Amino acid sequence: MVATYCDETEPDYSALRLAMVRKQLESRGIRDRRVLEAMRVVPRHRFVPEVRRYAAYEDMPLEIGYGQTISQPYMVGLMTQMLEVQPTDRVLEIGTGSGYQAAVLASLAREVFTVERVPELARRAQQTLYELGYDNVRVYEGDGTHGLPECAPYDGIIVTAGAPHVPESLKQQLAEGGRLVCPVGPRGMQHLIRIVRRADGFCEEEGIGCVFVPLIGADGWNEP
Ligand code: SAH
């Protein structure tokens, strides 16, 4: 008999998603109700290449091609919570990758701008976001270490690649009261940094250790 692929063999993704939120996010201290709800709804498996979909809700990052990864669910939840996204916010993401983080942000913010340097990933993410009906996300191709000055300022900026330092242009594109979250440190080992822009300057705090693929660009790392 020839094995055929059919819908009946599909795992129950929505049950896997609820379990992911309970076991990987709530149990580890992610408390923001809007973040938890968004991650119960956004179909993460649709952002993962088909051959790896079976693992979409597991507790790890996954390869998405071109040497890049979709972040671990916990890291997406934690960084999104640190960003304190409000429904009226305009948010900038650097490192679109699969588009999953952008979809989570799009569920929470008014508008999301996301920049990706690998053209094929930018195109694929845009297609996935379009198919799923996220009409408040705009995907840009280019070097996000410059930010996206034409749409600045932003209430939130999230960098989802590891940077040697927080790019200065990104800080300058934050609105007053705006939050920026970025992994900073040597290649292969960073810490999350959270910066808040106040009327009288920037206030910076350090979060947990993490490992991200490198932020490559004019104000990031050189080519791999
Ligand atoms: N947020 C993504 C995961 C990002 S992986 C998701 O939800 O799937 C990091 C991404 O940052 C990779 O796709 C990589 O190509 C991209 N990247 C690295 N340097 C960049 C730069 N200077 N500008 C924009 N994107 C960059």
Side-chain angles (χ1 to χ4, degrees):
M1 201 178 107
V2 180
T4 51
Y5 180 84
C6 70
D7 273 354
E8 275 139 36
T9 64
E10 285 238 317
D12 183 350
Y13 287 122
S14 101
L16 291 172
R17 198 152 56 235
L18 296 183
M20 169 193 87
V21 169
R22 206 173 54 246
K23 293 186 197 154
Q24 300 173 37
L25 304 181
E26 289 182 293
S27 74
R28 292 184 186 143
I30 305 296
R31 294 272 177 267
D32 185 319
R33 308 213 67 76
R34 296 182 67 236
V35 173
L36 295 170
E37 190 50 29
M39 292 184 66
R40 280 187 201 107
V41 174
V42 178
R44 179 173 164 94
H45 62 282
R46 293 288 303 272
F47 295 88
V48 170
E50 265 176 65
V51 292
R52 272 183 280 284
R53 269 191 194 163
Y54 66 92
Y57 294 98
E58 287 183 19
D59 190 12
M60 56 185 178
L62 294 169
E63 287 174 30
I64 55 170
Y66 308 93
Q68 308 303 325
T69 54
I70 175 174
S71 308
Q72 179 192 17
Y74 174 68
M75 194 49 69
V76 174
L78 179 64
M79 291 176 84
T80 311
Q81 176 169 272
M82 288 169 82
L83 213 54
E84 293 182 57
V85 183
Q86 306 301 313
T88 51
D89 282 355
R90 300 168 71 256
V91 177
L92 173 67
E93 178 192 29
I94 307 303
T96 315
S98 68
Y100 174 68
Q101 172 76 72
V104 171
L105 293 168
S107 316
L108 300 169
R110 175 155 61 97
E111 248 184 314
V112 177
F113 306 84
T114 179
V115 186
E116 171 56 53
R117 69 179 278 275
V118 178
E120 293 83 356
L121 289 177
R123 271 199 293 278
R124 197 204 286 160
Q126 184 163 36
Q127 178 66 25
T128 310
L129 290 161
Y130 171 77
E131 283 169 12
L132 293 171
Y134 292 98
D135 56 7
N136 58 340
V137 185
R138 278 194 266 162
V139 181
Y140 294 79
E141 184 196 313
D143 176 5
T145 63
H146 301 297
L148 190 66
E150 60 266 41
C151 302
Y154 305 98
D155 307 293
I157 300 180
I158 180 171
V159 182
T160 61
H165 54 263
V166 177
E168 190 54 36
S169 332
L170 298 185
K171 288 170 74 171
Q172 294 311 327
Q173 291 169 33
L174 263 188
E176 199 179 309
R179 292 80 51 203
L180 183 158
V181 178
C182 177
V184 175
R187 284 192 189 225
M189 188 188 68
Q190 303 91 32
H191 278 90
L192 292 181
I193 297 291
R194 180 175 188 267
I195 292 177
V196 180
R197 185 170 203 169
R198 306 262 180 238
D200 56 352
F202 295 94
C203 151
E204 189 170 319
E205 324 157 358
E206 193 175 300
I208 65 161
C210 51
V211 180
F212 278 82
V213 295
L215 179 75
I216 294 166
D219 201 11
W221 298 103
N222 294 327
E223 290 292 318

